[in-house]
Amino acid sequence: MALDKNQIAKRIAKEVQDKFYVNLGIGIPTLVANYVRTDISVEFQSENGVLGMGPFPFEGEEDADIINAGKQTITTLPGASFFDSAFSFGMIRSQKVDLTILGAMEVAENGDIANWKIPGKMVKGMGGAMDLVASAENIIVAMMHVNKAGESKILKRCTLPLTGVGCVKKVVTELAVLEVTSKGFKLLERAPGVSVEHIINSTEAELIIDGEIPEMVIE
Amino acid sequence: MINKKVNNVQEALQGIEDGMTIMLGGFGLSGIPENSIAELVTKNVNDLTCISNNAGVDDFGLGLLLQKKQIKKMISSYVGENAEFERQMLSGELDVELTPQGTLAEKCRAAQAGIPAFYTPAGYGTEVAEGKESREYNGKMHILEEAFKADFAIVKAWKGDEAGNLIFKGTARNFNANMAGAAKITIAEVEELVAPGVLDPNEIHIPGIMVQRIFQGEKFEKRIEQRTTRKRQ
């Protein structure tokens, strides 16, 4: 069975380690915060200028001056701080943020990512994604393996305008966990009940398959 | 003390003319100078180039200026959430220069800090790098980006004093703190304007030297773009 969005977020949450500062993108990545182990210390950074982001506020306690990068009302946790946009991207460029999790329209086997523009159709802008992918050491992409037409978004080369080159380290989709290696995508795990053949058939890029591929463990 | 106080938004925006380049603070609708934007609509200045991370929504923020086609060019990082903007951009009526958010912030900060240009890795190998110098530092490619040159910067702060000192609240600091002092003239609209000496100098985020005009906004709607909450247990 292919994973749903919450299950993708649960799987990615396992990658979050103790004492990590983590930047979460809009969409599935935002859900990751709900599934991080409670016995480790993690701080979430939002590039609009907050570290130590907490859950959504209780009804009636929303504050227009306290939002995340998705423009959602949020709260802060003890130890939180606010800062300006230049400072925020300063901590991103200087690699103080340990892990960046973001969405994508396409990822290629050379680690390229595209997620900001479909020429002639949709242009929302790159927001902070180009800065994040150009500087982050550890980038995990949360995305759907195939589009609505059933075509693979895991490609030999991206077809859409790029957001960053050679930067993605790992991809988690509804079907698989893939690692980007110097030789291309390596299949690390498959979704429960999804066969290796099904993943191969859903992937335009070549996959490196080394022995038995374990199923993801999703509680 | 050098007094920067002006009496109202009309006085604050004096000198803004057709064809000028204006920086406007805010992220989404958070921390936008909403009184000044309303006055720009009333003033009916046209052919503006606006530097702002976002373009507001259809009926609030810079969306109000877009509705009246007062903006010729937008320099932003993210412009979703605004149907009229997308229509004008795809039809070619509006010139749009999309800039990575961190680069946008640094182009403001550089102007504020008297730095003409800087190298950043953001955008290398993408459309953003086209026509720009690139150079390798520490084994990684970077592109050369230049400081903004703007006629006016309009920022919004939580508190300010007559000396022009500013304090921001929460994530409404965003680009406001980077744009203050980044243009020839900086206008600050604040929720609360106090006499000099009331604000603790230790808590000032932006010193008054960066601000030429300050006024207390008449009313702040402070609209929320995505109202997300959780239920009480």
Side-chain angles (χ1 to χ4, degrees):
Chain A
M1 266 268 294
L3 304 185
D4 63 25
K5 288 179 178 183
N6 279 291
Q7 290 172 315
I8 295 174
K10 272 189 189 176
R11 174 60 191 81
I12 293 176
K14 288 173 185 283
E15 306 285 327
V16 179
Q17 296 172 26
D18 191 29
K19 298 191 172 56
F20 262 18
Y21 291 102
V22 182
N23 179 288
L24 300 177
I26 297 166
I28 299 173
T30 304
L31 301 172
V32 172
N34 299 332
Y35 303 112
V36 172
R37 281 163 50 192
T38 51
D39 60 335
I40 59 174
S41 303
V42 173
E43 280 194 29
F44 291 105
Q45 195 255 18
S46 199
E47 63 270 23
N48 58 314
V50 55
L51 253 176
M53 204 180 2
F56 295 147
F58 291 120
E59 282 175 42
E61 293 179 4
E62 312 91 288
D63 185 339
D65 291 329
I66 304 181
I67 63 169
N68 65 16
K71 287 103 179 176
Q72 297 171 311
T73 46
I74 53 153
T75 57
T76 53
L77 296 172
S81 55
F82 296 116
F83 34 84
D84 64 67
S85 299
F87 201 97
S88 182
F89 284 93
M91 67 180 74
I92 288 165
R93 280 192 301 267
S94 67
Q95 301 182 335
K96 305 295 189 292
V97 178
D98 300 285
L99 175 62
T100 292
I101 303 169
L102 78 171
M105 296 172 187
E106 294 178 347
V107 171
E109 62 190 17
N110 57 1
D112 289 359
I113 176 172
N115 71 355
W116 70 285
K117 183 179 184 181
I118 303 173
K121 277 191 194 157
M122 186 286 292
V123 188
K124 290 195 185 300
M126 66 292 281
M130 280 193 185
D131 310 88
L132 280 158
V133 300
S135 294
E137 283 275 284
N138 193 1
I139 299 171
I140 300 178
V141 171
M143 66 187 290
M144 302 312 281
H145 211 101
V146 294
N147 65 17
K148 284 180 186 131
E151 297 158 345
S152 175
K153 294 159 59 162
I154 309 292
L155 305 171
K156 289 192 173 74
R157 286 290 176 272
C158 288
T159 63
L160 295 170
L162 295 180
T163 306
V165 292
C167 52
V168 176
K169 298 289 186 294
K170 206 175 246 188
V171 182
V172 179
T173 75
E174 77 279 22
L175 301 179
V177 179
L178 306 167
E179 184 187 353
V180 180
T181 71
S182 56
K183 292 175 183 145
F185 286 114
K186 185 175 179 191
L187 180 59
L188 295 184
E189 297 174 24
R190 55 198 171 84
V194 171
S195 68
V196 170
E197 287 66 34
H198 180 71
I199 296 168
I200 292 172
N201 292 335
S202 305
T203 310
E204 193 234 35
E206 294 290 326
L207 292 177
I208 299 165
I209 295 162
D210 199 358
E212 277 294 299
I213 305 300
E215 282 191 354
M216 295 181 211
V217 180
I218 310 276
E219 287 85 24
Chain B
M1 200 275 293
I2 300 171
N3 198 320
K4 309 290 174 68
K5 186 188 166 189
V6 294
N7 291 313
N8 49 45
V9 66
Q10 289 81 11
E11 202 178 315
L13 268 54
Q14 260 177 27
I16 297 186
E17 292 168 8
D18 290 357
M20 282 188 165
T21 298
I22 304 176
M23 294 178 155
L24 297 111
F27 178 91
L29 300 179
S30 189
I32 59 171
E34 49 181 282
N35 289 277
S36 299
I37 292 170
E39 178 59 18
L40 287 172
V41 174
T42 307
K43 234 173 131 66
N44 197 28
V45 278
N46 289 292
D47 294 322
L48 298 174
T49 294
C50 292
I51 300 167
S52 169
N53 189 59
N54 310 89
V57 293
D58 279 321
D59 62 346
F60 198 59
L62 288 182
L64 298 172
L65 291 175
L66 285 164
Q67 295 264 343
K68 289 187 66 195
K69 304 211 166 84
Q70 290 173 257
I71 302 177
K72 177 182 65 178
K73 181 177 181 181
M74 281 293 313
I75 302 174
S76 305
S77 86
Y78 188 83
V79 294
E81 298 23 293
N82 190 323
E84 174 62 15
F85 184 101
E86 204 158 0
R87 192 198 64 72
Q88 287 185 24
M89 174 168 59
L90 291 172
S91 72
E93 290 165 60
L94 179 69
D95 187 9
V96 179
E97 189 175 315
L98 287 166
T99 303
Q101 194 178 334
T103 299
L104 189 80
E106 197 64 16
K107 282 163 78 85
C108 296
R109 202 197 71 83
Q112 184 191 52
I115 301 283
F118 57 92
Y119 280 99
T120 177
Y124 177 76
T126 76
E127 285 180 10
V128 167
E130 285 170 15
K132 291 173 186 164
E133 282 178 40
S134 59
R135 187 167 165 174
E136 186 182 315
Y137 284 101
N138 306 320
K140 188 169 175 168
M141 292 307 292
H142 294 72
I143 58 176
L144 186 66
E145 295 279 3
E146 293 182 356
F148 283 126
K149 290 189 181 80
D151 298 295
F152 282 85
I154 309 178
V155 303
K156 186 261 167 183
W158 180 35
K159 292 178 184 172
D161 66 18
E162 291 174 3
N165 295 307
L166 303 178
I167 296 178
F168 305 97
K169 186 179 151 227
T171 52
R173 190 180 318 185
N174 55 58
F175 287 83
N176 287 303
N178 305 128
M179 290 177 174
K184 287 177 201 154
I185 296 174
T186 295
I187 300 160
E189 75 170 62
V190 299
E191 289 181 54
E192 190 185 349
L193 182 62
V194 299
V198 173
L199 301 178
D200 179 350
N202 285 303
E203 292 179 357
I204 303 295
H205 292 134
I206 291 292
I209 193 169
M210 307 309 251
V211 174
Q212 280 70 48
R213 306 172 188 171
I214 190 165
F215 72 101
Q216 183 171 309
E218 208 160 272
K219 93 178 207 305
F220 286 92
E221 183 182 339
K222 296 178 77 168
R223 196 186 290 189
I224 290 173
E225 204 165 329
Q226 304 277 343
R227 189 177 296 274
T228 44
T229 57
R230 70 191 142 128
K231 291 255 184 279
R232 284 175 202 278
Q233 299 295 324

